[in-house]
Amino acid sequence: MYKFIISLVLFLLAFVTLIYAAEQTSEPSHGIAYPKGWQNWGTIAVSHRIDNNTIRVILGNDDAIKAARSGNTNPWPDGAILGKVVWKDTKLENWKEAIVPDKLVHAEFMFKDSKKYTQSYGWGWARWVGLEQKPFNSGTQVCTTCHTPVKKRDWVFTEPAIFPK
Amino acid sequence: MYKFIISLVLFLLAFVTLIYAAEQTSEPSHGIAYPKGWQNWGTIAVSHRIDNNTIRVILGNDDAIKAARSGNTNPWPDGAILGKVVWKDTKLENWKEAIVPDKLVHAEFMFKDSKKYTQSYGWGWARWVGLEQKPFNSGTQVCTTCHTPVKKRDWVFTEPAIFPK
């Protein structure tokens, strides 16, 4: 009988752990909560970086998409969130001249809030690394140093792609 | 007085024309209606074709996104629509090693309906060209000829990019 009870307890523990794991999202990066549902955001642009062999899509939440489509991007409006999803590049098996995504490198985000993020140029900067989306917490200066060349473009490299209306 | 009436009629005509133009969508391509709202669909993959210097995002409607994320893509489910948005490539002004979208070439779509499109391998094939989205009507064989190398992949070149859950 006790074996049955132990089995039952273990089964329940496993079940609870499974539910917890399924609901868990990544820990914050630079104090910023993981943005839910970004995987289904609309597209602002794409890019292929031939200096480090990565290929990217730049996504935006609704506020960012509206701003991008209407050219209202310098400055971007408060509430806009930009997401840059970065993969290592590779050749498409069935069309070798097409360079396409391979392994996920990381997903990076800029959260526009000109009042909240006065110390980091009006943006919150966050990054989650790898498929396990491990939070990056080495400091926003890692982000802003690289973005300094585009400080006159509200710190954003991306030029929104042209979409038909 | 008659000048005032003529002005009023002209004004009303201009107004009606303006509303009509704003609501107008592109004419069908290969008998397929222009898919509304595709500009905000989620991303399935990206690609950079170095043989013709174009860069692309592959989008999907909700059915296609669900199928892509769950690996249910051979065959793709009925109802899935894939959209390939193609731009000429160029260098990003502030980071020359980043290849990014320039002018829009066209937006191409595959509409999965294994019952409706039995004559064209289970897919409806459509394309709208340029920023004015002019319908392409030269025949679906233009599309299927090029896609023949991937007929064993349900006629789809795209391998969905890996997204974290």
Side-chain angles (χ1 to χ4, degrees), chain A residues 34 38-43 45-51 55-57 59 65 69 85 87 91-104 107 130-133 146 149-150 153 157-159 161-165, chain B residues 34 38-43 45-51 55-57 59 65 69 85 87 91-104 107 130-133 146 149-150 153 157-159 161-165:
Chain A
Y34 192 73
W38 64 263
Q39 293 88 340
N40 293 334
W41 287 356
T43 300
V46 295
S47 75
H48 179 206
R49 266 187 63 180
I50 56 178
D51 52 342
I55 192 160
R56 296 117 177 278
V57 64
L59 307 174
I65 292 289
R69 302 285 193 258
V85 194
W87 296 273
K91 293 175 182 178
L92 186 68
E93 190 183 336
N94 292 290
W95 195 280
K96 302 288 187 194
E97 299 85 2
I99 310 302
V100 297
D102 194 8
K103 285 184 184 165
L104 181 75
L131 206 50
E132 70 276 21
Q133 294 287 275
C146 181
V150 285
R153 296 176 39 81
F157 278 103
T158 300
E159 293 169 12
I162 298 165
F163 279 81
K165 280 176 187 166
Chain B
Y34 193 74
W38 65 262
Q39 293 90 338
N40 294 333
W41 287 356
T43 299
V46 295
S47 75
H48 179 206
R49 266 187 63 181
I50 55 178
D51 51 341
I55 193 161
R56 296 117 178 278
V57 64
L59 307 175
I65 292 288
R69 301 286 192 258
V85 194
W87 296 274
K91 293 175 183 178
L92 186 66
E93 191 185 334
N94 292 290
W95 195 281
K96 303 289 188 194
E97 299 83 4
I99 311 301
V100 296
D102 193 10
K103 285 184 183 166
L104 180 76
L131 206 50
E132 69 278 19
Q133 294 288 276
C146 180
V150 285
R153 296 176 38 82
F157 278 103
T158 300
E159 294 169 11
I162 298 166
F163 280 81
K165 279 176 186 166

Side-chain angles (χ1 to χ4, degrees), chain B:
Chain B
M1 182 65 184
Y2 74 94
K3 278 184 183 168
F4 172 76
I5 291 170
I6 288 172
S7 295
L8 191 70
V9 168
L10 284 176
F11 178 78
L12 283 171
L13 269 175
F15 189 71
V16 167
T17 309
L18 200 71
I19 286 177
Y20 178 76
E23 288 192 348
Q24 198 179 20
T25 60
S26 289
E27 292 295 305
S29 163
H30 299 144
I32 297 170
Y34 193 74
K36 282 189 183 174
W38 65 262
Q39 293 90 338
N40 294 333
W41 287 356
T43 299
I44 291 176
V46 295
S47 75
H48 179 206
R49 266 187 63 181
I50 55 178
D51 51 341
N52 68 2
N53 299 113
T54 58
I55 193 161
R56 296 117 178 278
V57 64
I58 295 89
L59 307 175
N61 68 349
D62 285 346
D63 287 350
I65 292 288
K66 272 180 209 160
R69 301 286 192 258
S70 61
N72 183 30
T73 61
N74 200 0
W76 290 76
D78 280 359
I81 310 174
L82 303 174
K84 184 174 275 180
V85 194
V86 180
W87 296 274
K88 291 303 286 182
D89 69 12
T90 188
K91 293 175 183 178
L92 186 66
E93 191 185 334
N94 292 290
W95 195 281
K96 303 289 188 194
E97 299 83 4
I99 311 301
V100 296
D102 193 10
K103 285 184 183 166
L104 180 76
V105 178
H106 54 226
E108 302 175 315
F109 296 86
M110 294 174 66
F111 297 74
K112 183 68 191 256
D113 188 328
S114 56
K115 292 184 186 75
K116 187 173 181 181
Y117 299 119
T118 49
Q119 300 301 310
S120 51
Y121 314 109
W123 292 94
W125 307 75
R127 176 192 283 167
W128 286 272
V129 180
L131 206 50
E132 69 278 19
Q133 294 288 276
K134 193 178 167 190
F136 176 86
N137 278 308
S138 302
T140 57
Q141 73 281 1
V142 175
C143 317
T144 55
T145 301
C146 180
H147 278 248
T148 302
V150 285
K151 64 182 176 182
K152 288 187 178 172
R153 296 176 38 82
D154 198 18
W155 296 84
V156 174
F157 278 103
T158 300
E159 294 169 11
I162 298 166
F163 280 81
K165 279 176 186 166

